[in-house]
Amino acid sequence: MSSTVSRPLVVDLDGTLVATDTLHEAATAFLTHSPLGVFRLAGWLRRGKAHLKAELAARTELDASVLPYRGDVLTWLEAEQSNGRRLVLATASAAWQAQAVADQLGIFHEVIATADGVNLKGSAKREVLVERFGERGFDYLGDHGADLSVWGAAATGHVVVGARRSLAERVGRVTEVGMVFPSPEGRLRALGSLLRPYQWVKNALVLVPLFTAQRLDDASAVLQMLLAVVAFCLVASSVYVLNDLADVVHDRHHPRKRLRPFASGRVGLLTGWMLWPALAVVGFGLSVAFLPALFVAALAAYLVLTTAYTFRLKRQPVLDVVVLGLLYTSRIVAGAAAIDVELSMWLLTFSMFFFLSLALTKRVNELTRIRRTMGQVGVQVRGRGYVETDLELLSSYGVASSVAAVVIFSLYVDDPKTSVLYDTPELLWCGVPVLLAWLMRVWLLAHRGTMDEDPIIFATRDRASLVAALLVVAVFVAAKVVTM
């Protein structure tokens, strides 16, 4: 047996074996279930990190089966273990978390972790390892400069390069450098994807009152609306970040969502907890500085409602889709507040039924895919309040809402007040079959399970949907400019 194989290989956990921080995982799980618990976290932290970890240990669980393990590191460790190498997991994570990981992987012979009020990090970890294995009696694999003292006591230092690419050079000054695992690329792109810029198309609904009030020739109103859209995009992105934080464990169980930045570990959870309030502050700062108080109030109402949806309401069946419909409609309300125009009840009522129908397509699409892929009766949608057998009932709700939206649009066309706004209001009837055909097609695709989960995003990439949208716009323009 070589001297290398005879020496135990000590492996760090956070940032090394997994591309996340287990303390942040536990804190996120705690805050997701108890948002006001942030004050308790601060109190526990004042008594030291070891105390914080112990308190979180009593209140949270770690699903080690879906943690974002570093594939290159894990493959190497498995090879070392199969060659007879003794692997030791030594981490500042709480003992219960470290043991959960060790049990999941089954390659570690020993676990050394934070316990009994001692935070096993830096010099504290060095002392324990030297006492256990002796000076230069072990090799160490880590990823953070805080462990330089540990590397200094190791025979060989293996390095996972994180944010600081000079780490391997620093390790080389205190011990011989062995394996160096590069940091995954694309972190900046992952940060950008957290904002979900493709979702900003929904915020174009803020512009609807500008068109319905026929104020496109008002430069001041147009500028106000553009500022309102920017503010809404910032605040909406802050909620998307918060939603991904709250859903990180559920996302890891999803075949597609597991690739999201937090779920995959490409962006740390702590970064998210700093990013989402910063985006909200900038969005509200812009609103307070340049937009009417009513818009600020509408934006605040949107933030409150969508935050409640993130933490509670999305798990309440039926209520969740009603809230989604309200969130779409709230964008139109905010747009009206931005330029101080009155919204018609026709528009508000149509919007509510129309977007309620689209929200229901999301759930029907999810349930259809579950029914086809799992083939089991009564399967629960993870993170939602629905079961597979709700599919037919939700479909009936959605189709009924679609028909109601088309009927409301027809009544709007027939309203005498509409003739005041358009030179040839009769042409608006041409939009009725287009709208009805598009909604029925959306429901057909939802039942087939071939539509993206978000129908608005689907519509921006679907040729038939784009043609339908252009036809409806052309109908409104013709009704305004054509005289018969």
Side-chain angles (χ1 to χ4, degrees):
M1 180 179 294
S2 69
S3 59
T4 299
V5 173
S6 65
R7 286 195 303 267
L9 174 58
V10 180
V11 182
D12 184 36
L13 177 58
D14 297 337
T16 300
L17 182 59
V18 296
T20 186
D21 188 299
T22 51
L23 174 59
H24 300 159
E25 293 278 337
T28 297
F30 176 72
L31 289 175
T32 298
H33 292 90
S34 305
L36 297 180
V38 63
F39 302 107
R40 300 180 70 185
L41 280 180
W44 295 335
L45 183 58
R46 281 197 296 268
R47 298 177 62 180
K49 277 195 173 182
H51 179 78
L52 172 63
K53 293 171 183 178
E55 292 290 349
L56 289 173
R59 294 168 174 82
T60 61
E61 296 180 356
L62 180 70
D63 189 348
S65 66
V66 291
L67 284 176
Y69 294 99
R70 286 206 48 156
D72 51 352
V73 172
L74 187 56
T75 298
W76 180 64
L77 291 178
E78 289 172 341
E80 290 291 296
Q81 192 263 348
S82 65
N83 289 331
R85 191 80 179 269
R86 181 176 179 82
L87 302 186
V88 178
L89 184 61
T91 172
S93 300
W96 66 275
Q97 292 178 316
Q99 192 60 56
V101 170
D103 292 342
Q104 174 65 32
L105 298 179
I107 61 174
F108 292 100
H109 301 83
E110 186 178 351
V111 175
I112 304 173
T114 293
D116 301 325
V118 178
N119 188 40
L120 201 74
K121 188 172 184 178
S123 59
K125 182 187 289 188
R126 174 196 169 106
E127 291 176 8
V128 170
L129 293 178
V130 170
E131 181 180 354
R132 176 74 177 81
F133 304 110
E135 191 83 20
R136 305 294 178 183
F138 62 95
D139 293 346
Y140 184 71
L141 172 64
D143 74 295
H144 198 278
D147 282 339
L148 277 173
S149 61
V150 182
W151 273 303
T156 304
H158 305 290
V159 184
V160 173
V161 178
R164 298 182 179 179
R165 298 183 179 275
S166 62
L167 181 60
E169 297 177 5
R170 296 168 65 193
V171 173
R173 300 189 189 110
V174 297
T175 190
E176 178 186 352
V177 176
M179 293 289 294
V180 177
F181 298 91
S183 176
E185 300 294 333
R187 186 173 185 273
L188 187 60
R189 180 180 298 178
L191 277 171
S193 69
L194 275 175
L195 307 185
R196 300 193 204 177
Y198 62 91
Q199 295 275 13
W200 291 347
V201 66
K202 298 176 183 178
N203 298 323
L205 291 171
V206 175
L207 300 173
V208 168
L210 186 68
F211 291 89
T212 57
Q214 300 184 5
R215 292 182 59 180
L216 285 171
D217 57 346
D218 186 339
S220 176
V222 171
L223 179 59
Q224 289 286 94
M225 277 301 203
L226 292 177
L227 289 172
V229 169
V230 172
F232 231 98
C233 286
L234 289 168
V235 173
S237 288
S238 76
V239 179
Y240 295 144
V241 175
L242 182 60
N243 183 75
D244 282 358
L245 287 168
D247 279 354
V248 65
V249 175
H250 295 307
D251 287 348
R252 287 172 182 158
H253 286 273
H254 193 280
R256 180 173 54 84
K257 294 179 181 179
R258 63 184 177 84
L259 301 177
R260 285 179 173 178
F262 293 138
S264 65
R266 288 181 296 154
V267 178
L269 299 179
L270 183 59
T271 299
W273 285 109
M274 293 187 292
L275 180 60
W276 82 260
L279 290 169
V281 167
V282 174
F284 274 99
L286 179 65
S287 303
V288 171
F290 300 106
L291 294 165
L294 278 178
F295 175 83
V296 177
L299 188 60
Y302 168 84
L303 179 61
V304 170
L305 186 58
T306 194
T307 302
Y309 175 82
T310 294
F311 285 103
R312 288 289 182 271
L313 301 181
K314 68 182 176 184
R315 290 183 283 275
Q316 305 301 317
V318 179
L319 183 59
D320 69 320
V321 289
V322 174
V323 170
L324 283 177
L326 284 171
L327 289 174
Y328 282 116
T329 303
S330 68
R331 290 171 165 88
I332 298 175
V333 174
I339 57 174
D340 192 23
V341 297
E342 183 179 352
L343 283 173
S344 72
M345 289 307 300
W346 289 121
L347 177 58
L348 288 176
T349 309
F350 168 80
S351 174
M352 190 62 227
F353 278 101
F354 180 78
F355 291 114
L356 173 61
S357 174
L358 296 188
L360 283 160
T361 64
K362 295 180 66 174
R363 299 295 172 258
V364 167
N365 191 57
E366 291 172 355
L367 292 174
T368 299
R369 291 185 176 184
I370 286 176
R371 176 174 289 183
R372 291 182 176 178
T373 57
M374 303 190 71
Q376 300 177 19
V377 176
V379 176
Q380 177 110 19
V381 180
R382 189 175 183 88
R384 304 291 181 185
Y386 297 100
V387 294
E388 174 269 337
T389 50
D390 294 330
L391 176 60
E392 286 74 21
L393 184 60
L394 292 183
S395 296
S396 66
Y397 290 162
V399 173
S401 297
S402 294
V403 173
V406 175
V407 170
I408 291 166
F409 180 75
S410 303
L411 293 174
Y412 165 74
V413 173
D414 197 48
D415 190 337
K417 293 181 179 179
T418 304
S419 61
V420 178
L421 297 173
Y422 299 93
D423 293 335
T424 312
E426 294 82 5
L427 289 176
L428 294 177
W429 283 106
C430 297
V432 174
V434 175
L435 179 62
L436 183 61
W438 182 77
L439 285 170
M440 294 301 101
R441 179 173 180 270
V442 164
W443 275 101
L444 180 66
L445 295 177
H447 268 277
R448 291 177 177 177
T450 58
M451 188 182 69
D452 290 346
E453 291 184 0
D454 193 312
I456 300 296
I457 305 304
F458 164 79
T460 63
R461 298 194 294 259
D462 177 59
R463 182 178 298 178
S465 298
L466 294 174
V467 170
L470 289 174
L471 287 174
V472 171
V473 171
V475 165
F476 273 86
V477 171
K480 178 64 180 177
V481 302
V482 173
T483 302
M484 296 180 66

